Amino acid sequence: AQSVTQLGSHVSVSEGALVLLRCNYSSSVPPYLFWYVQYPNQGLQLLLKYTSAATLVKGINGFEAEFKKSETSFHLTKPSAHMSDAAEYFCAVNPGLRGSQGNLIFGKGTKLSVKP
Amino acid sequence: KAGVTQTPRYLIKTRGQQVTLSCSPISGHRSVSWYQQTPGQGLQFLFEYFSETQRNKGNFPGRFSGRQFSNSRSEMNVSTLELGDSALYLCASSHRTGAADYGYTFGSGTRLTVV
């Protein structure tokens, strides 16, 4: 069964520092992978998605993620953190072959704090 | 273009009652999925509807049910509410079922509190 593991439930960085949020997946088929962000009292906003095209995926707000099949990883990075990046981030996988299922399996989430 | 609209935003119900939550997808989207978000269990898939048919279901008891109307609007119902049903319920819409390549757009959710 497919699953997603996010390492670190809380990550704290200083403003201007590198953001690195880790996500590892397990999937028996080529996965479709996603990163979502959730601000307090809000729904989920799609940051970026991997659907088997380029392995380095660029998203909104300066975020990017690299799909590494050998490491079964899809870590999220941003070169320079901004105060507005403070939120909770979720990695997700679509469990079907080439995204064929109509649902997502989410990791437990990582709360990002940004210190001034 | 309007996003995914969920109503109401907040609800307080008593144990044993039932509740109905509503979701209006983005215009043109025919797939609607529901998720439950709690601090302990995280985000869990409830079910997905496409063209008024339930296409996929998560591992929840039969007290949780849903339906989709011909205009793609969806409702979910929880009967005989339990304290553990307190959660943020999120709705997501997409063009079609199995639409991972298109992605899913989420609403802001309905915060249900059971007392």
Side-chain angles (χ1 to χ4, degrees):
Chain A
Q2 283 82 358
S3 65
V4 173
T5 302
Q6 290 185 241
L7 295 174
S9 58
H10 288 87
V11 169
S12 182
V13 300
S14 297
E15 193 172 19
L18 171 72
V19 175
L20 171 61
L21 304 181
R22 299 177 187 275
C23 172
N24 288 88
Y25 68 91
S26 73
S27 176
S28 56
V29 298
Y32 280 15
L33 294 159
F34 305 80
W35 275 100
Y36 282 88
V37 61
Q38 185 176 37
Y39 298 98
N41 297 316
Q42 297 286 322
L44 302 174
Q45 181 182 9
L46 180 66
L47 279 176
L48 48 80
K49 59 185 177 183
Y50 167 75
T51 57
S52 77
T55 56
L56 182 62
V57 182
K58 293 188 184 300
I60 62 171
N61 301 338
F63 284 94
E64 62 181 39
E66 186 172 9
F67 172 72
K68 290 188 177 180
K69 185 178 178 181
S70 61
E71 299 177 9
T72 61
S73 69
F74 190 58
H75 302 330
L76 182 71
T77 60
K78 181 174 180 178
S80 176
H82 191 271
M83 296 296 290
S84 61
D85 295 327
E88 190 160 17
Y89 293 78
F90 294 90
C91 183
V93 64
N94 182 284
L97 176 63
R98 296 290 181 204
S100 59
Q101 293 293 320
N103 63 291
L104 296 172
I105 296 172
F106 286 89
K108 292 292 188 185
T110 298
K111 278 190 180 166
L112 175 67
S113 301
V114 182
K115 299 174 289 187
Chain B
K1 129 176 162 176
V4 178
T5 304
Q6 291 188 248
T7 56
R9 284 298 308 274
Y10 301 93
L11 264 180
I12 300 176
K13 289 287 188 178
T14 304
R15 268 183 306 175
Q17 287 187 315
Q18 75 164 16
V19 67
T20 299
L21 312 182
S22 179
C23 172
S24 294
I26 289 174
S27 178
H29 283 194
R30 295 167 64 193
S31 169
V32 174
S33 301
W34 289 88
Y35 292 82
Q36 181 196 64
Q37 185 178 23
T38 59
Q41 298 299 317
L43 281 152
Q44 294 185 285
F45 171 72
L46 281 156
F47 28 65
E48 184 214 5
Y49 286 86
F50 180 79
S51 294
E52 302 178 66
T53 302
Q54 188 179 89
R55 299 298 296 265
N56 202 357
K57 189 176 189 303
N59 189 25
F60 277 81
R63 300 185 297 108
F64 292 81
S65 63
R67 59 178 176 168
Q68 187 179 34
F69 302 95
S70 58
N71 62 357
S72 294
R73 190 177 70 85
S74 177
E75 290 181 346
M76 68 162 282
N77 184 276
V78 189
S79 62
T80 320
L81 283 165
E82 301 175 0
L83 294 179
D85 297 333
S86 295
L88 180 67
Y89 289 88
L90 292 166
C91 167
S93 77
S94 187
H95 287 83
R96 57 179 175 83
T97 187
D101 51 341
Y102 288 97
Y104 305 88
T105 303
F106 282 80
S108 296
T110 293
R111 172 77 61 188
L112 172 64
T113 302
V114 182
V115 298

